Amino acid sequence: MTEIARTSVLVVDDHPIMRYGVAAIIAARNDMHVVAQAGTASEAVALFREHRPEITLMDLRLPDRSGVEAIREIHGFAPWARFIVLTTYEGDEDIHQALEAGARGYLIKGMPHEALIDAIRKVKAGGRFVPAPVARALASRMPDGELSAREREVLGLLVRGKSNREIATILSIKEATVKAHVSVILMRLNVTDRTQAVIAALQRGLAHL
């Protein structure tokens, strides 16, 4: 009897219970298996080099670096690698960054486990898996809402509750420059004040607490 070729999967998540649960779902299938589990981005890169899995399930929030950074690093030496993001983040910017980095699928934790299996099979076959709620969030992203690296820094500090003066000190720039950045941020996020900017940033995944 011919043995079924099983899809090799690397599971990356910093929560052990989540990792084990995902691994159990995959282990129940006869056409796929988990070759390793990682809890950090660094572990993910090392285990990918060791096992060279066909599919990597990647969380976005990891203790040492973001999942997006790990995807980019792995793609640097293994451009053939196929990633599916498995995360709690539903913001359009999170989705955009992950797909831009090279993810072929995007799953929100809490979706039925059948969606996970379907995603693995579709991405293994060369396709993409972007469920309707994810596609809608991505479609809502404004093309003129792109923030520069400096504006992202300022926004991140706004989210942390820093004043213009504190931001100027932290970034070693003039307070007037900070005010200019804040004005641009408000315009690009289509909001009228700092509080709304913080709410929009957290909802869209432009910054995280």
Side-chain angles (χ1 to χ4, degrees):
M1 186 173 177
T2 304
E3 186 177 343
I4 297 173
R6 296 190 297 165
T7 303
S8 55
V9 181
L10 168 62
V11 180
V12 185
D13 195 293
D14 64 332
H15 291 99
I17 292 176
M18 184 69 192
R19 276 203 314 272
Y20 299 150
V22 169
I25 292 170
I26 293 170
R29 306 288 164 160
N30 64 1
D31 61 341
M32 56 188 70
H33 68 120
V34 174
V35 293
Q37 299 179 37
T40 67
S42 297
E43 285 178 2
V45 174
L47 289 171
F48 187 96
R49 286 185 184 276
E50 180 181 350
H51 296 280
R52 302 179 77 78
E54 294 168 277
I55 301 291
T56 299
L57 298 176
M58 182 72 73
D59 191 9
L60 289 186
R61 189 166 191 173
L62 298 168
D64 51 348
R65 284 180 294 152
S66 74
V68 167
E69 290 178 90
I71 291 173
R72 288 187 179 126
E73 182 175 347
I74 292 170
H75 261 160
F77 63 83
W80 49 267
R82 291 176 178 170
F83 295 91
I84 298 169
V85 167
L86 184 59
T87 184
T88 56
Y89 292 157
E90 301 181 56
D92 63 297
E93 188 63 22
D94 289 314
I95 299 166
H96 169 74
Q97 292 291 332
L99 297 180
E100 189 178 64
R104 304 286 293 272
Y106 198 103
L107 282 169
I108 306 299
K109 292 177 183 178
M111 285 183 171
H113 67 265
E114 290 84 359
L116 172 63
I117 299 303
D118 193 20
I120 292 173
R121 288 175 177 158
K122 283 189 176 178
V123 172
K124 164 71 182 300
R128 294 169 71 87
F129 189 89
V130 182
V134 174
R136 283 195 296 271
L138 189 60
S140 71
R141 186 174 184 271
M142 295 177 292
D144 60 348
E146 196 78 44
L147 298 177
S148 69
R150 177 62 88 188
E151 287 158 0
R152 282 175 174 273
E153 284 184 303
V154 172
L155 181 57
L157 292 169
L158 285 178
V159 169
R160 288 165 53 190
K162 302 298 182 183
S163 67
N164 286 355
R165 180 172 295 180
E166 289 172 320
I167 294 171
T169 301
I170 292 168
L171 299 180
S172 299
I173 57 179
K174 294 179 179 178
E175 191 172 346
T177 304
V178 174
K179 290 179 180 178
H181 284 313
V182 171
S183 295
V184 172
I185 289 168
L186 297 182
M187 179 186 69
R188 291 190 172 159
L189 296 185
N190 196 28
V191 296
T192 56
D193 59 41
R194 297 162 72 99
T195 301
Q196 290 179 358
V198 169
I199 293 170
L202 294 174
Q203 288 178 336
R204 292 184 52 192
L206 289 161
H208 301 109
L209 292 173

